[in-house]
Amino acid sequence: MTEPAAPVEETAAVASAAAVTATTLEAAAANPLRDPRDKRLPRVAGPCVLVLFGVTGDLAKRKLLPAIYDLGNRGLLPPGFSLVGFARRDWANQDFAQLTHDAVKEHARTPFREEVWKQLAEGIHFVPGEFSDDGAFDALAMALKEIDQTRGTGGNYAFYLSVPPKFFPTVVQQLKRTGLADAPEGSWRRVVIEKPFGHDLQSAHELNEITNEAFPESSIFRIDHYLGKETVQNIMALRFANNLYEPIWNRSYVDHVQITMAEDIGLAGRAGYYDGIGAARDVIQNHLLQLLALVAMEDPTSFEANALRREKEKVLKAVRLPADLSLNTARGKYAAGWQGGEKVVGYLDEEGIPADSVTETYAAIKLEIANRRWAGVPFYLRTGKRLGRRVTEVAVVFQKAPHLPFSKDDTEILGHNALVIRVQPDEGITVRFGSKVPGTAMEVRDVSMDFAYGESFMESSPEAYERLLLDVMIGDPPLFPHQREVELSWKILDPIEEFWATQGQPEDYPAGTWGPPSADEMMARDGRVWRRL
Amino acid sequence: MTSFMLTDTTAGKISGQLTRLRHQMGAPAVGMVLTLVVVCDERDQYDSVRSATEAAREHPSRILVVINRESDEANRLDAELRVGESTPGEVVVLRLYGELTSHADSVVSPLLLPDTPVVAWWPGDAPAVPSKDPIGMLAQRRITDAKTVPDGIKVLAGRAKGYAPGDTDLAWARLTPWRSLLAAAFDQPVDKVKKGFVDAAAGNASAPLLAAWLSERLGAPVKVADSAGPGLTAVRLTVDGGEIAVTRTDARLATLARPGQPDRHVALARRHTSELLAEELRRLDSDEIYEAALKRLSRTYKG
């Protein structure tokens, strides 16, 4: 059933989505062995093939292949699951199997077990070729047909494009030409793409046109691995499963919100990609604005993809930029300095970076949300490389108590109450509040109440990619951003990027510190400070 | 790991000592989510505590081990406290002597974590009606293990009568990977099942539970047949035009066969007690599916 307000294109998308997922969901509903009350049985993907483009890349080796193994180890891969690698290498199946084996041994989260590896290895195939080579894709189509017969995968394919965006058009065209993008009746075809989803609104739009030519929106899964993280999903649990926070989650009680993603590393070999893109496009456009949407949105009517995406879109649409961008944004690039006891070079001295680069490695922006809940509450977003340490968090900082019955001296060092959602590392939630210091005098000071994920739940929660890959294979889209969200995010960032483009070189900050002075000045103008992390 | 012995003590002293130990270690905040009460013999103690502490990595718990010693000695309570860096929770091993052996609940109840779930686990012998047991009455979830007792199937069948929501048995948890694989096989359309067999080593307590679950869900007779083992070795279901079969002879790798499709291998390893326990602790609500399977097992059991 579709909601009456849904626009026409969405209604169509919902209908086709229903048709595509029918094989899995309908059969599951008719399955006599499944029962919603039987919570021990995990969600297992139906029979399918995962085709991985870019198997030799860093992401494949460090995250994707280990995640596939971990899924297998947890019993979540279907019998007959097959993995097909495609790359420009003169390899046979066993060479790819060897690469997978090494990647799994080195990076898998769960212990290596021979029988799980055996199950996985049986389904590993490799197709060599270039993206522009028609013959190679014809060979891929043939190989997939054969796998359907020998492994019983029923024509269900997921194509994971772990390749630079410039290859997207070629690969998508090839999938269309060979008919691999069209699902026959009763099976599905899905495509998974990684960020960056363009570098501005227009390019994002063009990229989507290209993908849309071959795949309908409902079959496109955009991976923002942050959304696969347990802590990020827990934002929704925290807000909507509890009664404790929602009453104060608004402009009457919240002073401002700080969303931070700080990295201690520099470019780490990504110079070619990073220069010209910069911190804001790399991090704010996707991760931080998604976090903002989850923290600020209204409660969705359900956790189905449509309901959730609609709320996120609403809040992204309500985001307003400050009138004077020069006073309410800051950007910087790291200069040589000491980071965590190590001497490191400045951005312009990094290998592969031109000496006149104007790319920022630090970006901070102030946003407002024009709706009844948030009017007047600033959201400060910041991200940077070569900062003091690696940390990602969302801090909701509350207003000071309207009246303090204590003398001024008693509460001199009392700060704002705050609720901090620590996304990584050391996932958890901290609540900061004032407490009496033991002793005869009435002195109130800030203390923290702490919930650590690792302390109350699993020793190691599943990697984001495990969850996301499983969702792709099951066809469950809530954790994947919709194209509309991508475009709305670019609409927020584009004017800022345009403004920055007229401002010349970003300000320097020494590596290992917390960003340029202009970022602190920006907060000081509002009478606030960045949290010391 | 800090270990501390208390002899001839009381629950109050134990409680105080635990608080002191935690403060000494500089970790006064408790992130423990439940209390696990393990009732066992001295000889099961080591393995049970080990499994429980491993499960506690996933579910940080206060683990209370109750060991009943000689009942004809003078009344005495001895306790061994372990608070460690290696585990996120705490372990208290309680040794009860004399008349106290029949009043274990009086020791356990003041040591339970406030306002969090309590789980009782009998790694070996367990009361016939766990929910009527003094310790069982304190717990929301009561875990028994039919594998470790002689004549496990009979014990299991008998337990159906006294079943109360929250009862569960590790013989059922051992089946989850099998059930998950079978359910995955039925995610593709399958013809009506006519009959079936579960093959297992003689006396395996999980096999009749699996057969009961399958007959309950499929509406077809599923029988247990003896095999050489180890453990469960096969499930064979007869459908139109052939047989859906999962076979596993080495306790590690299984083969899934279905009509008109190639055979496929799936990892299906036996699991450690700690993994079974962790699965039990993940869901603390009552397991209606187990209840249905258990009651069917008891109806069809011919001792």
Side-chain angles (χ1 to χ4, degrees):
Chain A
M1 201 191 77
T2 56
E3 294 158 76
V8 183
E9 50 109 8
E10 188 169 322
T11 319
V14 170
S16 67
V20 170
T21 52
T23 41
T24 345
L25 297 183
E26 248 173 41
N31 185 341
L33 296 183
R34 291 209 186 272
D35 186 316
R37 293 173 304 165
D38 197 345
K39 295 174 195 154
R40 286 174 198 255
L41 295 190
R43 303 185 312 158
V44 180
C48 63
V49 186
L50 181 68
V51 184
L52 194 54
F53 295 97
V55 290
T56 52
D58 210 34
L59 181 75
K61 277 189 262 189
R62 280 188 29 239
K63 296 285 183 188
L64 299 178
L65 296 172
I68 292 166
Y69 169 84
D70 288 330
L71 282 175
N73 207 354
R74 290 161 67 206
L76 301 178
L77 287 183
F81 170 81
S82 303
L83 174 69
V84 177
F86 186 102
R88 197 179 56 194
R89 288 281 196 288
D90 196 10
W91 278 359
N93 290 347
Q94 53 273 30
D95 298 312
F96 178 43
Q98 188 59 44
L99 172 106
T100 312
H101 183 269
D102 296 346
V104 166
K105 275 242 159 147
E106 195 172 346
H107 297 292
R109 182 176 64 86
T110 54
F112 188 84
R113 299 211 319 245
E114 202 55 49
E115 65 273 13
V116 178
W117 170 248
K118 217 166 150 188
Q119 173 191 355
L120 194 62
E122 264 181 8
I124 290 185
H125 300 260
F126 186 77
V127 178
E130 307 227 7
F131 296 142
S132 55
D133 180 4
D134 285 1
F137 275 83
D138 292 340
L140 176 66
M142 295 261 287
L144 286 172
K145 201 163 253 171
E146 202 185 310
I147 290 169
D148 277 344
Q149 271 168 17
T150 56
R151 312 266 305 157
T153 42
N156 302 321
Y157 312 146
F159 300 99
Y160 197 118
L161 272 55
S162 181
V163 296
K166 64 179 178 206
F167 295 118
F168 279 15
T170 332
V171 177
V172 170
Q173 271 307 319
Q174 290 283 18
L175 293 177
K176 195 182 172 196
R177 186 186 61 78
T178 47
L180 286 174
D182 303 317
E185 189 69 24
S187 62
W188 52 258
R189 302 289 154 91
R190 294 176 189 136
V191 65
V192 186
I193 53 179
E194 281 272 350
K195 73 160 200 187
F197 312 120
H199 53 85
D200 59 13
L201 179 59
Q202 202 200 334
S203 59
H205 197 73
E206 283 163 10
L207 181 70
N208 191 47
E209 299 264 280
I210 292 164
T211 330
N212 259 157
E213 269 175 40
F215 294 92
E217 173 67 28
S218 58
S219 302
I220 304 173
F221 288 75
R222 294 177 192 79
I223 287 213
D224 183 333
H225 68 272
Y226 257 62
L227 298 186
K229 286 188 181 294
E230 286 288 339
T231 17
V232 173
Q233 294 166 46
N234 192 39
I235 294 177
M236 291 186 277
L238 176 86
R239 290 194 54 202
F240 304 125
N242 295 304
N243 205 10
L244 186 56
Y245 308 108
E246 207 51 22
I248 52 168
W249 211 259
N250 55 52
R251 66 186 307 268
S252 312
Y253 295 92
V254 175
D255 182 69
H256 70 282
V257 177
Q258 296 185 16
I259 305 179
T260 306
M261 174 175 160
E263 290 176 288
D264 52 3
I265 53 164
L267 284 180
R270 289 169 76 220
Y273 161 73
Y274 198 84
D275 194 56
I277 293 290
R281 288 194 181 100
D282 188 37
V283 174
I284 293 185
Q285 184 270 337
N286 36 61
H287 305 323
L288 296 196
L289 285 175
Q290 283 288 333
L291 284 177
L292 175 138
L294 290 173
V295 169
M297 71 181 185
E298 298 297 318
D299 48 336
T301 48
S302 75
F303 278 108
E304 276 166 27
N306 273 321
L308 195 60
R309 286 165 166 180
R310 190 157 305 174
E311 293 307 329
K312 287 201 288 181
E313 280 163 32
K314 260 168 63 186
V315 80
L316 288 174
K317 264 184 208 158
V319 168
R320 297 285 178 272
L321 294 180
D324 189 343
L325 290 177
S326 65
L327 295 179
N328 293 298
T329 67
R331 64 186 188 129
K333 65 173 191 305
Y334 60 84
W338 288 83
Q339 204 289 321
E342 233 181 306
K343 196 172 161 93
V344 296
V345 299
Y347 178 71
L348 294 182
D349 298 323
E350 294 271 10
E351 208 181 309
I353 301 297
D356 58 349
S357 169
V358 293
T359 304
E360 85 278 0
T361 64
Y362 176 98
I365 60 175
K366 172 182 168 182
L367 299 174
E368 294 212 5
I369 297 173
N371 62 21
R372 184 172 271 256
R373 186 192 281 261
W374 294 117
V377 178
F379 282 70
Y380 299 98
L381 276 51
R382 64 170 160 166
T383 181
K385 287 192 176 293
R386 284 273 185 245
L387 298 183
R389 66 190 188 96
R390 170 172 167 263
V391 55
T392 303
E393 64 156 48
V394 177
V396 180
V397 181
F398 293 93
Q399 295 163 12
K400 289 218 173 193
H403 167 71
L404 290 169
F406 312 99
S407 80
K408 196 168 166 291
D409 306 330
D410 297 345
T411 56
E412 214 164 19
I413 43 175
L414 178 66
H416 289 260
N417 293 160
L419 187 139
V420 182
I421 299 162
R422 304 191 305 269
V423 176
Q424 72 175 17
D426 186 25
E427 294 111 324
I429 295 167
T430 304
V431 178
R432 194 176 67 162
F433 60 98
S435 170
K436 182 182 174 302
V437 181
T440 47
M442 187 65 183
E443 197 191 333
V444 185
R445 186 198 290 172
D446 287 326
V447 294
S448 289
M449 195 157 68
D450 208 48
F451 157 75
Y453 241 76
E455 211 171 83
S456 294
F457 293 109
M458 309 173 201
E459 181 183 25
S460 64
S461 37
E463 271 280 338
Y465 279 100
E466 285 176 51
R467 170 69 196 262
L468 295 174
L469 281 172
L470 183 64
D471 279 2
V472 167
M473 291 189 271
I474 292 177
D476 198 16
L479 296 181
F480 300 86
H482 190 277
Q483 174 66 14
R484 284 196 298 268
E485 290 167 54
V486 173
E487 294 191 5
L488 282 169
S489 306
W490 281 121
K491 274 187 194 156
I492 296 168
L493 199 60
D494 276 357
I496 298 175
E497 289 286 354
E498 278 160 27
F499 168 73
W500 282 346
T502 65
Q503 300 296 303
Q505 282 274 350
E507 198 178 355
D508 277 350
Y509 62 95
T513 63
W514 286 99
S518 58
D520 295 331
E521 287 157 19
M522 164 185 144
M523 289 299 263
R525 271 190 288 275
D526 292 350
R528 300 190 174 100
V529 286
W530 290 111
R531 273 169 52 81
R532 190 193 58 74
L533 297 176
Chain B
M1 171 86 82
T2 315
S3 176
F4 202 88
M5 302 289 289
L6 292 166
T7 47
D8 204 358
T9 184
T10 63
K13 285 184 194 154
I14 297 172
S15 193
Q17 189 60 36
L18 271 178
T19 314
R20 262 197 299 285
L21 283 178
R22 255 192 277 114
H23 273 281
Q24 253 175 29
M25 294 191 51
V30 252
M32 291 180 282
V33 293
L34 54 90
T35 311
L36 177 63
V37 187
V38 185
V39 187
C40 62
D41 289 341
E42 193 69 72
R43 65 189 159 91
D44 289 337
Q45 186 251 123
Y46 179 77
D47 288 333
S48 305
V49 171
R50 215 184 122 123
S51 298
T53 29
E54 258 167 54
R57 285 181 194 284
E58 195 174 311
H59 310 274
S61 327
R62 173 175 287 178
I63 300 165
L64 304 176
V65 185
V66 178
I67 302 169
N68 286 322
R69 300 295 299 246
E70 310 306 319
S71 55
D72 46 10
E73 280 191 31
N75 295 341
R76 197 172 92 219
L77 170 65
D78 286 359
E80 187 184 337
L81 280 53
R82 299 179 203 157
V83 181
E85 295 99 41
S86 58
T87 56
E90 306 159 334
V91 181
V92 183
V93 182
L94 303 162
R95 289 187 173 83
L96 280 52
Y97 297 83
E99 266 182 81
L100 189 57
T101 49
S102 39
H103 300 283
D105 54 317
S106 74
V107 180
V108 168
S109 101
L111 290 174
L112 301 176
L113 292 172
D115 212 14
T116 47
V118 178
V119 178
W121 174 39
W122 291 269
D125 284 330
V129 183
S131 58
K132 292 271 164 40
D133 178 82
I135 298 273
M137 277 157 79
L138 295 171
Q140 275 93 333
R141 191 127 181 135
R142 294 163 296 272
I143 307 167
T144 51
D145 192 351
K147 189 190 176 191
T148 54
V149 294
D151 226 351
I153 304 175
K154 189 175 171 190
V155 170
L156 211 49
R159 219 162 254 148
K161 262 183 249 97
Y163 175 88
D167 284 5
T168 177
D169 197 286
L170 292 186
W172 176 245
R174 282 187 189 94
L175 290 172
T176 306
W178 279 86
R179 297 196 306 121
S180 171
L181 177 57
L182 287 163
F186 277 76
D187 276 341
Q188 289 169 291
V190 174
D191 290 327
K192 176 99 179 88
V193 174
K194 297 203 179 98
K195 58 174 181 162
F197 284 98
V198 173
D199 298 349
N204 183 303
S206 294
L209 265 180
L210 182 59
W213 174 67
L214 284 167
S215 0
E216 184 82 19
R217 306 296 309 183
L218 298 172
V222 179
K223 295 208 170 72
V224 179
D226 285 350
S227 76
L232 285 169
T233 52
V235 172
R236 294 172 283 133
L237 302 170
T238 313
V239 295
D240 276 335
E243 197 178 58
I244 295 180
V246 178
T247 43
R248 178 189 76 172
T249 48
D250 62 353
R252 292 162 69 105
L253 195 65
T255 311
L256 169 68
R258 48 187 303 164
Q261 283 196 12
D263 285 3
R264 284 164 297 195
H265 292 302
V266 187
L268 197 64
R270 304 181 88 173
R271 297 186 296 167
H272 294 292
T273 312
S274 59
E275 289 172 77
L276 302 173
L277 203 55
E279 177 184 313
E280 289 296 343
L281 300 182
R282 218 165 287 153
R283 308 261 176 199
L284 294 173
D285 43 359
S286 65
D287 189 341
E288 290 101 340
I289 310 294
Y290 167 68
E291 180 185 356
L294 182 70
K295 289 194 168 154
R296 176 175 276 262
L297 164 67
S298 130
R299 279 201 303 278
T300 52
Y301 178 72
K302 301 178 205 75

